[in-house]
Amino acid sequence: MRFLVTGATSGLGRNAVEWLLKQGFEVHATGRNKFVGKELMDLGARFTELDLVDADEHDLRNLLKDSDIIWHCAALSSPWGKYKWFYQANVAVTAKLAYWAGKLAIKRFVHVSTPSIYFDFQSHIDIPETYLANKFVNHYAATKYLAEQNIQQNVINFPNTTYLILRPRGIFGPHDRVVFPRVLAQIKSRNGVLPLPNGGRACIDLTFVLNVVYALFLATTNNSLSSGEVFNISNQQPSYLYEMTEKLFKDNLKMDYNIRSIPYSFLYSIATVLELSSKFTGQEPLLTRYSVGTIYFDMTLNQQKAINRLGYRPMYTLNQGFEITANWLRNNLDDLNG
């Protein structure tokens, strides 16, 4: 099998490329960071430096032509920004890739979506794939849902290509610069204090990045799946947020810090003011209502479909994921601070 991995120079995509190469597969990686691209080429990948937003038909044909499988990991993932940025990166790009995958009769197109489409500032336990928020909380969630709808249309138009959608929750691990690196920055900037709404007693799902890669591989190799199926993905170990931060930072990184419980209403009010200010400054707010909500409300995903249909069980436990992540953080602290 020959794989094309989008978003290959950061986060999930980079881990996916490295994992596939270790398994001996032929990998074509694409992303915008030419320096990371050089590192991937040194590992054995073919690399195309490309901003998919600007890609035309010629670019896409050349990108897809020798691939059997597409793992679409690229996205604009942020709680803040202009709608057109999200639409171009998440909807238009996915539409182009999914269309040409079908047009060229590529065997499988596995799209990485998000459980953010469920979030509605309420607590939910065991959310099934059929649930949908009445109103999307930000442009990211709205455009990722539109991207899913586009893929479902391609399921109808291109029956020779199998389209599958994964919704992994809270991806963490090597090369991630979003989840735990931001928590680490909070602890350092506040001299060993981590402020959390309700003391971090939200029950949430996280997913170690290599488990997401494994789920992508199952979506590629399981021949019993039907085109258009959607799967929740998590580590299948719902835990309190404060427990997970302690496992990583205290147990693995040996950091001495204290959690300070902050009222949710107070943090929400601050985030509201910061978001309003950002409309005038054009700068991303340090805190958003969405980011506050995700660490205050309980949110866990139902895993029965992933288990029964996809055959997914995590290869790594949370503790194993925290240990690997801690080792990566130790070796990359200078880079993260820079």
Side-chain angles (χ1 to χ4, degrees):
M1 289 186 290
R2 297 167 297 180
F3 289 80
L4 170 68
V5 179
T6 69
T9 56
S10 65
L12 173 60
R14 185 168 179 179
N15 280 278
V17 172
E18 293 177 358
W19 187 87
L20 286 169
L21 291 171
K22 287 179 182 178
Q23 309 309 310
F25 292 106
E26 183 179 333
V27 183
H28 186 179
T30 184
R32 295 178 296 176
N33 190 321
K34 64 181 179 181
F35 301 106
V36 175
K38 174 62 167 58
E39 294 177 5
L40 295 178
M41 285 192 290
D42 290 341
L43 293 175
R46 176 185 168 196
F47 179 72
T48 297
E49 182 187 351
L50 181 64
D51 186 336
L52 291 169
V53 170
D54 299 324
D56 58 20
E57 177 181 335
H58 175 75
D59 295 326
L60 293 171
R61 280 182 172 271
N62 284 335
L63 194 64
L64 275 62
K65 65 180 181 181
D66 295 323
S67 300
D68 303 307
I69 310 294
I70 298 173
W71 286 2
H72 183 34
C73 303
L76 175 56
S77 176
S78 173
W80 181 89
K82 294 181 179 180
Y83 182 79
K84 68 177 182 180
W85 300 345
F86 289 93
Y87 187 88
Q88 290 170 347
N90 297 339
V91 183
V93 165
T94 301
K96 291 189 292 186
L97 286 169
Y99 171 80
W100 283 106
K103 195 75 171 176
L104 298 173
I106 288 173
K107 295 177 183 177
R108 294 217 174 186
F109 185 102
V110 188
H111 173 65
V112 180
S113 188
T114 175
S116 293
I117 65 173
Y118 305 140
F119 187 77
D120 56 4
F121 291 103
Q122 298 181 68
S123 288
H124 295 281
I125 300 296
D126 212 31
I127 302 173
E129 287 85 352
T130 53
Y131 184 78
L132 191 67
N134 289 327
K135 180 181 180 181
F136 296 119
V137 293
N138 53 27
H139 299 329
Y140 172 62
T143 54
K144 290 296 282 186
Y145 179 70
L146 286 177
E148 286 195 16
Q149 295 300 102
N150 180 273
I151 287 174
Q152 296 295 354
Q153 187 60 48
N154 281 284
V155 169
I156 300 170
N157 295 335
F158 299 108
N160 292 326
T161 297
T162 300
Y163 295 88
L164 297 163
I165 298 171
L166 304 185
R167 296 174 183 157
R169 167 71 165 147
I171 303 174
F172 74 95
H175 307 302
D176 168 52
R177 295 175 181 274
V178 177
V179 180
F180 286 124
R182 289 187 176 182
V183 176
L184 181 60
Q186 289 278 333
I187 294 172
K188 289 188 172 183
S189 67
R190 288 171 169 78
N191 298 315
V193 174
L194 176 61
L196 292 175
N198 196 32
R201 289 176 175 81
C203 184
I204 62 174
D205 274 322
L206 291 181
T207 320
F208 181 54
V209 66
L210 293 181
N211 287 330
V212 183
V213 175
Y214 177 55
L216 284 164
F217 191 69
L218 289 174
T220 301
T221 55
N222 187 330
N223 292 323
S224 69
L225 304 178
S226 300
S227 189
E229 286 198 78
V230 182
F231 300 95
N232 287 334
I233 301 296
S234 80
N235 239 78
Q236 300 177 2
Q237 294 176 267
S239 304
Y240 292 115
L241 178 59
Y242 79 89
E243 292 177 335
M244 291 189 279
T245 59
E246 287 182 352
K247 284 288 184 182
L248 178 60
F249 295 111
K250 287 189 176 180
D251 296 349
N252 283 286
L253 287 173
K254 309 303 179 185
M255 292 180 61
D256 184 19
Y257 75 96
N258 294 304
I259 291 176
R260 178 176 296 167
S261 182
I262 307 293
Y264 168 73
S265 58
F266 176 71
L267 289 175
Y268 187 90
S269 297
I270 291 176
T272 301
V273 172
L274 291 174
E275 288 185 32
L276 287 172
S277 298
S278 292
K279 291 183 179 180
F280 297 99
T281 65
Q283 300 296 314
E284 181 174 349
L286 295 175
L287 199 64
T288 66
R289 288 169 290 182
Y290 170 72
S291 60
V292 172
T294 58
I295 58 175
Y296 175 72
F297 294 102
D298 298 333
M299 183 175 176
T300 66
L301 307 183
N302 185 286
Q303 293 290 290
Q304 288 308 304
K305 191 176 179 185
I307 294 168
N308 297 331
R309 290 286 299 146
L310 188 60
Y312 167 74
R313 289 282 192 180
M315 295 184 69
Y316 297 85
T317 65
L318 276 180
N319 285 344
Q320 290 170 328
F322 291 149
E323 183 178 350
I324 294 169
T325 302
N327 288 334
W328 184 83
L329 286 170
R330 285 191 202 95
N331 294 327
N332 292 272
L333 282 178
D334 291 339
D335 185 37
L336 289 171
N337 292 332

